[in-house]
């Protein structure tokens, strides 16, 4: 008998905030891909081949100090992968465009980062002729990879709680009350029965911390605010702890201080693909596909398209088919086959009474799938214009 995730004894869910090194890489390079797609549309009339999902953020070095430390060595962003540099003999300024887009994203999303705090290393090469040829017929784009992706619905209480908690910590309201809370936040939720333990990492910004006692006082106040917030969104019993490695006996070496509000300024590097999944959380209790979503081409790479589409299908099936408690949607395609014609779509429903799904419900599910595949072009353009959130 299949058991929906929300009815299982335990569950683990993680969410990495916008200042986490992995999330920085994911969201920054996804933005680069989006803006590059718009540039191609403007300059050539069509989105050209590119993928921006092979980037690494190398941690810098800092000297922390109560009241404000300093950057000793800047972070380095190694921008990699492939792009189309010329069309019909016309060369496009891809390198400069990628760096400026990256710089703009960092300035808009990390409030304490300055231009001198990061270096850029460009490692983006020209796309292969074979992959570029896929885009010569923009009305019939085929997949540029062979892969399998998966989505599921509905969100469990734990998934919603972890997502909302991180978003609250990185909200303007929380930052106005606790300016020392950096953007680098990670929330790990472990549900055991009706109890959820939240283990939270928050990079403190040292300029807003006056002493060791001030750090621990503010941390306690933050934790209380988080528990009060989280309790409004769940009937589960909530326990919470922030920065578990802290040790008062080690002085400044025993607390989580940063200069810029991200561990990437001195302690932790990041990579595209290690952040949140397409539904904005990481759930080890759930099935996972073969690809990360961030930075991939929005009209040809099924690693992006089917990642998002499988969750949309699952959400729609769950909301429209009343007999289903939980559903998993697998999408599979092979390189060279049209994006709107997958090799296979497999639906794994769990009904409320664990009975076989009815023929009527099967027909309704097939209708949902057919309608979404028929509108694949619009779905891809929604990805381009950021109408579908990722990570």
């Amino acid at each position: 008998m299949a058991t929906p995730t929300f009815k299982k004894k335990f569950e683990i869910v993680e969410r990495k905030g916008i200042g986490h090194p992995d999330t920085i890489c994911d969201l920054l390079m996804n933005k680069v891909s989006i803006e590059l797609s718009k540039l191609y549309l403007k300059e050539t009339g069509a989105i050209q081949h590119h993928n921006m999902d092979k980037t690494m953020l190398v941690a810098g070095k800092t000297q922390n100090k109560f009241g404000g430390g300093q950057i000793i060595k800047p972070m380095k962003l190694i921008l990699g992968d492939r792009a189309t540099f010329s069309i019909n003999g016309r060369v496009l300024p891809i390198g400069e465009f990628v760096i400026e887009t990256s710089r703009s994203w960092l300035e808009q999303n990390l409030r304490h980062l300055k231009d001198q705090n990061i270096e850029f290393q460009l490692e983006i090469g020209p796309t292969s002729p074979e992959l570029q040829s896929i885009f010569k017929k923009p009305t019939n784009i085929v997949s540029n990879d062979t892969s399998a992706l998966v989505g599921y619905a509905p969100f469990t209480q734990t998934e919603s709680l972890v997502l909302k908690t991180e978003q609250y910590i990185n909200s303007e309201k929380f930052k106005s009350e606790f300016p020392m809370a950096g953007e680098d936040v990670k929330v790990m939720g472990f549900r055991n029965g009706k109890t959820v333990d939240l283990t939270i990492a928050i990079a403190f910004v040292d300029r807003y911390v006056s002493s060791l006692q001030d750090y621990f006082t503010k941390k306690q106040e933050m934790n209380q605010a988080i528990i009060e917030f989280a309790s409004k969104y769940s009937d589960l019993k909530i326990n919470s702890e922030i920065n578990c490695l802290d040790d008062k006996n080690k002085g400044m070496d025993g607390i989580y201080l940063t200069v810029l509000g991200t561990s990437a300024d001195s302690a932790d590097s990041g990579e595209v693909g290690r952040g949140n999944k397409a539904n904005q959380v990481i759930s080890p209790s759930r099935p996972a596909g073969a690809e990360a979503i961030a930075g991939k081409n929005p009209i040809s790479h099924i690693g992006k398209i089917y990642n998002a589409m499988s969750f949309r299908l699952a959400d729609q099936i769950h909301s429209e088919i009343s007999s289903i408690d939980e559903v998993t949607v697998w999408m599979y395609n092979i390189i060279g086959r049209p994006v709107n014609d997958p090799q296979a779509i497999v639906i794994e429903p769990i009904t409320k009474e664990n009975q076989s799904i009815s023929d009527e419900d099967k027909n309704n599910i097939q209708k949902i799938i057919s309608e979404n595949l028929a509108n694949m072009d619009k779905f891809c353009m929604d990805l381009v214009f950021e109408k579908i959130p990722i990570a």
Side-chain angles (χ1 to χ4, degrees):
M1 178 181 291
T3 302
T5 305
F6 67 90
K7 291 183 180 179
K8 292 179 179 178
K9 172 67 176 173
F10 78 93
E11 183 184 3
I12 300 171
V13 182
E14 181 181 8
R15 164 78 178 174
K16 295 178 179 180
I18 197 166
H20 189 286
D22 293 331
T23 311
I24 291 172
C25 290
D26 277 350
L27 294 183
L28 182 150
M29 292 310 289
N30 196 69
K31 185 64 173 177
V32 168
S33 171
I34 292 302
E35 295 305 319
L36 196 54
S37 296
K38 294 176 182 177
L39 176 70
Y40 285 137
L41 280 170
K42 178 182 177 182
E43 298 295 333
T44 73
I47 295 174
Q48 304 298 327
H49 182 266
H50 71 276
N51 282 307
M52 295 287 118
D53 60 342
K54 303 295 189 299
T55 286
M56 182 176 185
L57 178 61
V58 181
K61 185 177 181 180
T62 63
Q63 184 176 39
N64 292 111
K65 180 182 178 182
F66 292 127
Q70 60 181 322
I71 303 295
I72 305 299
K73 179 183 178 182
M75 300 175 287
K76 177 181 284 187
L77 191 64
I78 304 173
L79 302 158
D81 221 331
R82 291 291 182 265
T84 300
F85 281 75
S86 63
I87 296 291
N88 299 324
R90 183 184 176 192
V91 177
L92 299 173
I94 301 301
E96 296 90 335
F97 183 85
V98 168
I99 290 175
E100 287 307 311
T101 303
S102 301
R103 181 178 284 115
S104 175
W105 186 94
L106 290 164
E107 290 175 352
Q108 290 175 21
N109 291 282
L110 298 177
R111 60 199 158 120
H112 297 299
L113 185 138
K114 307 298 181 185
D115 190 51
Q116 65 267 26
N117 299 148
I118 189 157
E119 297 176 349
F120 298 95
Q121 180 177 326
L122 199 64
E123 299 293 345
I124 297 173
T127 187
S128 73
E130 184 178 26
L131 288 174
Q132 190 171 354
S133 69
I134 290 173
F135 294 78
K136 291 183 178 179
K137 295 181 179 180
T139 58
N140 188 33
I141 298 294
V142 299
S143 172
N144 70 355
D145 199 5
T146 299
S147 197
L149 289 308
V150 61
Y152 50 81
F155 246 35
T156 65
Q157 271 199 70
T158 312
E159 288 168 327
S160 294
L161 178 64
V162 167
L163 176 59
K164 287 180 181 294
T165 298
E166 183 280 320
Q167 290 174 334
Y168 169 63
I169 297 170
N170 266 325
S171 68
E172 289 186 13
K173 181 180 185 300
F174 192 88
K175 293 292 189 281
S176 65
E177 187 174 355
F178 302 105
M180 69 291 301
E183 286 75 25
D184 191 347
V185 176
K186 186 170 85 168
V187 180
M188 179 72 81
F190 176 79
R191 178 181 62 79
N192 186 6
K194 294 293 185 178
T195 299
V196 174
D197 293 326
L198 297 178
T199 302
I200 302 171
I202 303 176
F204 277 55
V205 182
D206 60 8
R207 74 187 67 180
Y208 301 112
V209 181
S210 61
S211 65
L212 195 64
Q213 183 58 47
D214 186 39
Y215 175 92
F216 282 97
T217 298
K218 291 298 193 301
K219 187 173 83 161
Q220 185 177 359
E221 292 173 358
M222 281 185 194
N223 200 48
Q224 184 58 39
I226 290 167
I227 291 174
E228 291 176 3
F229 170 85
S231 298
K232 297 176 183 178
Y233 292 94
S234 175
D235 58 9
L236 300 167
K237 179 183 177 182
I238 297 169
N239 302 314
S240 176
E241 188 172 359
I242 298 173
N243 297 352
C244 299
L245 190 61
D246 288 349
D247 186 344
K248 288 183 179 180
N249 297 321
K250 294 181 180 179
M252 187 175 288
D253 292 338
I255 57 178
Y256 186 8
L257 285 184
T258 66
V259 174
L260 302 176
T262 173
S263 58
D265 71 6
S266 64
D268 194 12
S269 298
E271 286 184 275
V272 171
R274 290 175 48 87
N276 305 311
K277 306 305 180 186
N279 65 337
Q280 303 182 71
V281 295
I282 303 166
S283 295
S285 309
R286 303 276 209 165
E291 301 279 352
I293 188 171
K296 290 181 170 62
N297 193 294
I299 65 168
S300 69
H301 205 306
I302 59 174
K304 167 168 276 186
I305 301 163
Y306 290 1
N307 239 322
M309 175 65 81
S310 61
F311 278 103
R312 171 170 288 192
L313 289 173
D315 286 337
Q316 195 171 343
I317 290 169
H318 178 261
S319 64
E320 295 184 18
I321 310 297
S322 60
S323 63
I324 290 178
D325 239 357
E326 183 174 286
V327 62
T328 300
V329 176
W330 294 89
M331 299 185 72
Y332 169 71
N333 212 349
I334 59 176
I335 192 167
R337 188 181 178 97
V339 170
N340 62 356
D341 185 21
Q343 180 81 359
I345 297 181
V346 178
I347 311 298
E348 295 181 326
I350 300 176
T351 59
K352 292 180 178 178
E353 298 180 1
N354 255 288
Q355 302 295 320
S356 297
I357 194 161
S358 69
D359 289 339
E360 180 182 1
D361 285 345
K362 287 180 181 177
N363 290 335
N364 288 332
I365 289 172
Q366 186 56 52
K367 182 180 178 182
I368 290 170
I369 294 170
S370 298
E371 288 176 350
N372 277 275
L373 292 180
N375 289 305
M376 183 65 80
D377 289 348
K378 181 182 182 303
F379 183 82
C380 291
M381 293 311 293
D382 284 347
L383 286 170
V384 172
F385 288 96
E386 300 177 276
K387 295 181 180 179
I388 301 170
I390 69 130

